[in-house]
Amino acid sequence: MVHTEETLARLAAIPELTVLTGAPLSDYTRFAIGGPADIYTETASAEAFIAALSVARSSGQDYVVIGGGTNLIVSDAGFRGIVLRFTAKRILAAGNRVVADSGAVLQDLVDFTVDRGLKGLETLAGIPGSVGAAIYGNAGAYGHSISERVRTVRFYDGSTVCVFDNAACEFLYRESIFKKHKEWIIFSTELAMDTADAAQLRKTADDIVKVRNEKFPVTMKCAGSIFKNLLLAELPDRAARQVPERVVREGKVAAAYFLEEVNAKGMTRGDIHVATYHANLLYNGGAGTAADLRWLIDELKSRVSEKFGITLEEEVQYVGFRDGVRP
Ligand SMILES: Cc1cc2nc3c(=O)[nH]c(=O)nc-3n(C[C@H](O)[C@H](O)[C@H](O)COP(=O)(O)OP(=O)(O)OC[C@H]3O[C@@H](n4cnc5c(N)ncnc54)[C@H](O)[C@@H]3O)c2cc1C
């Protein structure tokens, strides 16, 4: 393994790459939790990003790619290795086709399309984070996901820049092939939109943002929903039998239902809290730690497992935990 000082020098020599040491990752996560990264890098240049990734790989050190940090839980110890962030933000339209860089803010893409009367992303209004991570996790809300609009995704697989069409991305509910290949880095996406009245799209988007801001105040230190919702058809009989019909929507059962049944609402550990009005929403009151957050998540998983015989799966992604999860 190459010594960190040498890695640092090689990274510092890459044009257009910002390199920081000991950057507190709490500054880069919406939870405002997470210790320092040995090395933090960011760039809006694809060439610089590829060069940085190549240094990271050859250094033998761990590395991780982050976006806006709205869906991350970073360990209190931080990250021993190199954090990489791609910040290119270009959004372009030609007819009903839109191309967006992965570092663009998803809301900027939503606004861009809505303002041009391009329909298809308006229900994603108010989802925080970047376009790249939205592709990675197939972000969505109000019955629609970004995958419905994706034509192609351009990404770097570690040796070449590749382009996948929609089918090759293997999109499923909050899933894509990119989750199975965490070393692949998304650079941009091309979307196919429909046309509609811009004023009507704006109203839909604004109404959604209003509702969302009540549920997730903009200053709330959280990651939205912690756990994924579940498909009724995939539940074991014991759990499915306990689910009343009224809580099933489009074949899915909200994770919040199971969490409510184990009295999650209002639970607290240190300064980490489960919202009193939403059992799948955990937030940091200001002095929360990753250790307390993990404790509460584990406690909720074990209560649900005991009562229903199912294992809730996190939608949030962990950074800096040994074996990918533990601090
Ligand atoms: C208040 C609130 C509400 C939310 N509501 C919703 C919702 O309704 N629906 C929904 O789907 N999500 C929701 N989320 C979750 C979050 O907004 C999404 O997961 C979002 O896509 C994360 O974007 P990010 O840029 O912050 O990614 P990050 O949190 O930084 O990263 C998430 C993952 O994406 C990967 N990643 C990031 N960029 C790239 C890239 N260029 N190439 C490859 N991998 C990459 C990272 O490695 C990481 O594993 C909500 C979050 C919050 C805080």
Side-chain angles (χ1 to χ4, degrees):
M1 185 192 293
V2 179
H3 191 264
T4 302
E5 288 305 318
E6 194 186 324
T7 306
L8 206 48
R10 289 173 67 206
L11 289 169
I14 299 172
E16 296 180 66
L17 185 75
T18 301
V19 183
L20 304 173
T21 52
L25 291 175
S26 52
D27 289 353
Y28 295 86
T29 60
R30 166 106 177 219
F31 259 124
I33 284 175
D38 284 349
I39 301 176
Y40 171 90
T41 64
E42 68 172 47
T43 182
S45 149
E47 292 71 31
F49 191 93
I50 288 172
L53 189 61
S54 151
V55 170
R57 286 160 66 104
S58 65
S59 74
Q61 295 181 44
D62 284 343
Y63 64 88
V64 66
V65 176
I66 66 165
T70 65
N71 209 25
L72 299 179
I73 297 179
V74 178
S75 135
D76 297 316
F79 187 71
R80 299 290 70 76
I82 303 164
V83 173
L84 302 144
R85 187 169 176 204
F86 183 59
T87 55
K89 291 181 165 50
R90 190 186 46 141
I91 304 174
L92 301 167
N96 69 343
R97 293 283 158 85
V98 175
V99 174
D101 283 332
S102 62
V105 172
L106 181 62
Q107 182 63 42
D108 291 347
L109 175 61
V110 171
D111 288 337
F112 178 96
T113 54
V114 162
D115 291 346
R116 282 165 179 74
L118 295 171
K119 181 179 167 55
L121 295 179
E122 61 284 358
T123 66
L124 276 57
I127 300 180
S130 61
V131 170
I135 299 285
Y136 169 91
N138 192 14
Y142 293 88
H144 297 281
S145 301
I146 195 164
S147 59
E148 292 166 40
R149 296 293 157 180
V150 171
R151 253 195 106 242
T152 59
V153 175
R154 201 169 141 267
F155 67 99
Y156 183 65
D157 71 357
S159 54
T160 340
V161 176
C162 315
V163 177
F164 270 3
D165 66 9
N166 185 295
C169 293
E170 297 181 7
F171 288 119
L172 290 169
Y173 168 69
R174 299 293 174 272
E175 288 292 336
S176 75
I177 194 165
F178 303 101
K179 273 199 175 175
K180 294 182 207 138
H181 293 273
K182 291 186 190 282
E183 72 285 5
W184 291 0
I185 315 303
I186 299 162
F187 279 151
S188 63
T189 184
E190 185 188 333
L191 307 155
M193 311 294 292
D194 293 323
T195 46
D197 176 49
Q200 190 53 50
L201 295 176
R202 173 51 61 199
K203 184 172 174 359
T204 305
D206 288 353
D207 287 351
I208 287 174
V209 170
K210 214 161 136 205
V211 172
R212 294 183 65 100
N213 284 349
E214 276 165 26
K215 191 159 141 197
F216 306 113
V218 287
T219 53
M220 184 180 254
K221 298 175 172 64
C222 67
S225 298
I226 290 285
F227 298 106
K228 289 183 186 175
N229 295 329
L230 297 98
L231 290 169
L232 181 66
E234 289 179 3
L235 290 180
D237 281 352
R238 178 181 152 202
R241 274 199 306 272
Q242 296 182 69
V243 174
E245 223 171 278
R246 68 181 159 78
V247 302
V248 182
R249 298 231 171 96
E250 291 158 8
K252 289 201 202 84
V253 187
Y257 168 74
F258 299 103
L259 294 163
E260 272 171 36
E261 292 295 302
V262 298
N263 302 317
K265 280 181 175 168
M267 273 176 75
T268 280
R269 168 88 173 181
D271 205 10
I272 302 292
H273 312 269
V274 181
T276 50
Y277 57 91
H278 184 5
N280 196 9
L281 173 60
L282 275 64
Y283 66 93
N284 172 13
T289 63
D292 285 340
L293 189 48
R294 278 293 314 167
W295 186 93
L296 209 42
I297 288 172
D298 284 351
E299 175 65 17
L300 293 172
K301 286 175 82 165
S302 89
R303 285 189 188 188
V304 169
S305 164
E306 208 169 295
K307 186 166 164 91
F308 294 98
I310 54 173
T311 306
L312 290 182
E313 194 188 331
E314 288 92 327
E315 191 175 316
V316 285
Q317 305 286 303
Y318 293 106
V319 172
F321 292 81
R322 274 202 295 279
D323 79 11
V325 174
R326 295 279 160 197

